[in-house]
Amino acid sequence: MLRTLLAACLLAAPIVGTAQGAPLRVPATVDTLPNGLTLIVHEDPSVPVVTTNVWFHVGSGDEKVGRTGFAHLFEHLMFMGSKNAPYPQFDRLLEAAGANNNGSTNGDRTNYYESGPTSALPLMLWLEADRLGWLLETMDGPKVDLQRDVVKNERRQSYENQPYGLAFENLMPALYPAGHPYSWSTIGSMTDLSAASLEDVKDFFRTYYAPNNATIVVAGAVKADSVRQLVRAMFSEIPRGPAITRPAPAPFAVRDTVIVLEDRVQLPRVYLAWHGVKEFSADDAALDIAAYVLSGARNSRLTQALVYDRELATNVNAFNSSKRLDGDVQVVATARPGVGLDTLQRVIDSELRLLATRGPNARELEQARNAIEAQFLQRLEFSSAKADQLNAYFYAHGTPDWFQQDLERYRRVTAADVQRVVRKYLLGERVTLSVVPQGKTGLAATRRIVQ
């Protein structure tokens, strides 16, 4: 996919023109209701569709130790019906109107979105208003038990019974200190999910599902004035919630840690993880470009060295995972049959040293910047992607139209920046996790190569 984007970018002169021409703008209006609900409207008449995208500023990072998985569990409960739209009317009404919907949860937020023909907008907003204002009085123990079981099955399917599925749950507690909001997974533990009570659900809703903790983006073939009237009519009656105290983790340093996990897998896989930076912070874009130079394309350094030239690995992926409170960088590589993870680790470290010593060449830097920019611009073809990005920028920067500034972050990155962040972040202390077939711990990465 990324290679396709890269080819399109290199061949498409207009993208270069965009870099030098008029600034990229996604104009939007911002209003706040007396109850604290923020409304962002982006008018895009190009296609007669509309997207509503609601962000509640609560994710798994807001959970308490012993109550992990709650934010995601609650996402499921939001589809279980409300006072005027009992289950399963939420889905049925939207489907009948030609619209679709879903939600997602990560460490920093939970979002809910609907997309469909413009005529479905009043229904979308009414359904969102009804579950924000009148969900709690319909919540009961059977609904919680049902969705708790659904989430537990999701955990079994995607984590416990999925090859390499438990890697993240072993990696994060070693990378982040105990009690840090990112030290546990969004899915939560079986024990904590079992412990969730109806009263926990109600407390969670009262604390976080309030208008003053939510932002609604409406993007598409709409008029801002009409949307404002609809939202005021449907949401103004919902009362403001309490002020929210958010976690403020203390600074920390990663300690060199080596972990071996035996799993039901055919091939060993190594995970190398370092402490990174917060999203949109000074070194964030340079780390994204470093990750691309390492594995973003067929001719990237690690991909070429491990997969094609020496045929040591079936795949390799490097990525920078920056989040609201903190961040991490990872390199993940799966060995070919008969190859030990120390061998992969040695090649990875060698390439990291080269990049830290010499930096990327001009071709690599340009390729990475073009590919990232092409992918960024392609997403903006869709109102749903724009709506989510408007919400993300507003949460991070207090302004929804931060697109041009985001692009400029990458255009400013130099080869020296990439060299510096690799040296600063990827040659330091790290967590090394080896996932090996059961009974084959001899394939694990045993020690660090780089100091």
Side-chain angles (χ1 to χ4, degrees):
M1 179 64 177
L2 197 53
R3 288 197 296 273
T4 303
L5 291 170
L6 172 62
C9 179
L10 292 174
L11 292 172
I15 290 180
V16 178
T18 300
Q20 299 171 344
L24 173 64
R25 293 198 62 234
V26 182
T29 61
V30 180
D31 293 276
T32 303
L33 274 61
N35 61 10
L37 178 69
T38 299
L39 169 65
I40 298 170
V41 182
H42 166 61
E43 298 182 5
D44 177 5
S46 60
V47 181
V49 298
V50 65
T51 293
T52 61
N53 184 295
V54 186
W55 272 37
F56 288 95
H57 301 156
V58 55
S60 58
D62 294 283
E63 295 164 350
K64 300 174 183 176
V65 174
R67 285 293 184 272
T68 63
F70 219 90
H72 176 244
L73 172 61
F74 203 89
E75 176 203 319
H76 282 247
L77 291 168
M78 283 286 278
F79 293 91
M80 291 304 292
S82 49
K83 179 179 178 181
N84 299 299
Y87 181 82
Q89 290 304 310
F90 193 95
D91 288 334
R92 288 184 177 176
L93 289 171
L94 286 171
E95 289 168 1
N100 58 76
N101 73 91
N102 212 329
S104 70
T105 308
N106 64 27
D108 299 327
R109 61 97 184 106
T110 307
N111 76 351
Y112 302 90
Y113 47 92
E114 295 87 27
S115 292
T118 309
S119 59
L121 179 61
L123 174 64
M124 297 174 183
L125 292 174
W126 178 78
L127 288 168
E128 287 292 2
D130 200 62
R131 63 180 176 180
L132 175 57
W134 295 275
L135 176 137
L136 200 55
E137 56 192 89
T138 70
M139 188 56 58
D140 56 27
K143 287 183 178 180
V144 175
D145 290 340
L146 175 62
Q147 289 308 312
R148 185 207 321 273
D149 287 343
V150 170
V151 172
K152 283 183 173 180
N153 282 334
E154 186 177 330
R155 179 185 163 82
R156 295 185 185 99
Q157 183 176 16
S158 300
Y159 291 77
E160 296 171 1
N161 297 324
Q162 175 86 9
Y164 313 103
L166 293 174
F168 182 82
E169 292 206 331
N170 283 269
L171 198 62
M172 290 300 107
L175 191 58
Y176 291 95
H180 191 287
Y182 298 151
S183 64
W184 54 79
S185 64
T186 301
I187 195 72
S189 74
M190 280 294 193
T191 301
D192 291 353
L193 289 170
S194 297
S197 67
L198 177 59
E199 200 53 39
D200 288 333
V201 169
K202 291 182 176 180
D203 286 344
F204 193 85
F205 184 89
R206 294 187 188 105
T207 302
Y208 295 110
Y209 279 72
N212 47 304
N213 196 43
T215 302
I216 299 179
V217 172
V218 178
V222 297
K223 292 294 184 183
D225 287 344
S226 299
V227 175
R228 275 194 289 270
Q229 290 177 15
L230 281 171
V231 169
R232 285 170 182 160
M234 294 177 183
F235 288 85
S236 292
E237 188 180 343
I238 304 170
R240 175 187 289 269
I244 297 172
T245 302
R246 300 192 182 281
F252 67 95
V254 172
R255 299 173 57 185
D256 245 344
T257 307
V258 176
I259 304 170
V260 179
L261 173 64
E262 295 182 61
D263 198 2
R264 289 170 293 176
V265 297
Q266 295 295 316
L267 298 172
R269 178 180 290 177
V270 65
Y271 297 75
L272 307 178
W274 299 264
H275 187 204
V277 298
K278 295 180 182 178
E279 62 181 0
F280 304 120
S281 59
D283 290 339
D284 186 28
L287 283 170
D288 280 340
I289 287 183
Y292 185 93
V293 169
L294 289 169
S295 74
R298 185 187 180 99
N299 62 348
S300 296
R301 294 191 179 202
L302 290 179
T303 306
Q304 199 66 38
L306 287 171
V307 178
Y308 294 108
D309 287 350
R310 303 173 67 174
E311 298 185 348
L312 296 171
T314 61
N315 58 68
V316 60
N317 186 29
F319 55 94
N320 169 39
S321 179
S322 56
K323 300 170 273 281
R324 190 172 68 85
L325 299 174
D326 218 313
D328 49 84
V329 185
Q330 297 182 36
V331 173
V332 183
T334 308
R336 284 185 177 274
V339 178
L341 295 179
D342 261 345
T343 303
L344 302 192
Q345 185 177 220
R346 191 175 300 111
V347 174
I348 294 168
D349 286 336
S350 174
E351 293 297 332
L352 291 177
R353 278 198 302 271
L354 280 174
L355 192 55
T357 303
R358 302 174 186 174
N361 59 41
R363 179 197 58 77
E364 289 176 310
L365 184 62
E366 189 66 13
Q367 178 178 342
R369 288 194 296 215
N370 283 346
I372 290 170
E373 182 163 327
Q375 190 172 32
F376 179 89
L377 294 174
Q378 190 181 56
R379 288 186 69 239
L380 300 188
E381 295 177 2
F382 305 97
S383 66
S384 55
K386 278 194 291 188
D388 200 53
Q389 197 62 58
L390 286 162
N391 239 328
Y393 289 146
F394 185 78
Y395 192 28
H397 301 288
T399 178
D401 186 5
W402 207 72
F403 293 86
Q404 181 65 27
Q405 293 95 320
D406 203 357
L407 278 177
E408 288 172 353
R409 292 191 306 142
Y410 294 95
R411 293 170 181 169
R412 286 195 298 266
V413 172
T414 66
D417 290 330
V418 176
Q419 182 180 358
R420 176 180 54 78
V421 298
V422 172
R423 187 186 307 123
K424 179 177 180 179
Y425 298 100
L426 305 188
L427 298 186
E429 304 292 294
R430 73 187 184 200
V431 177
T432 302
L433 167 66
S434 300
V435 181
V436 299
Q438 290 176 332
K440 297 187 177 180
T441 55
L443 295 172
T446 54
R447 64 184 178 85
R448 288 191 59 199
I449 306 300
V450 166
Q451 290 293 336

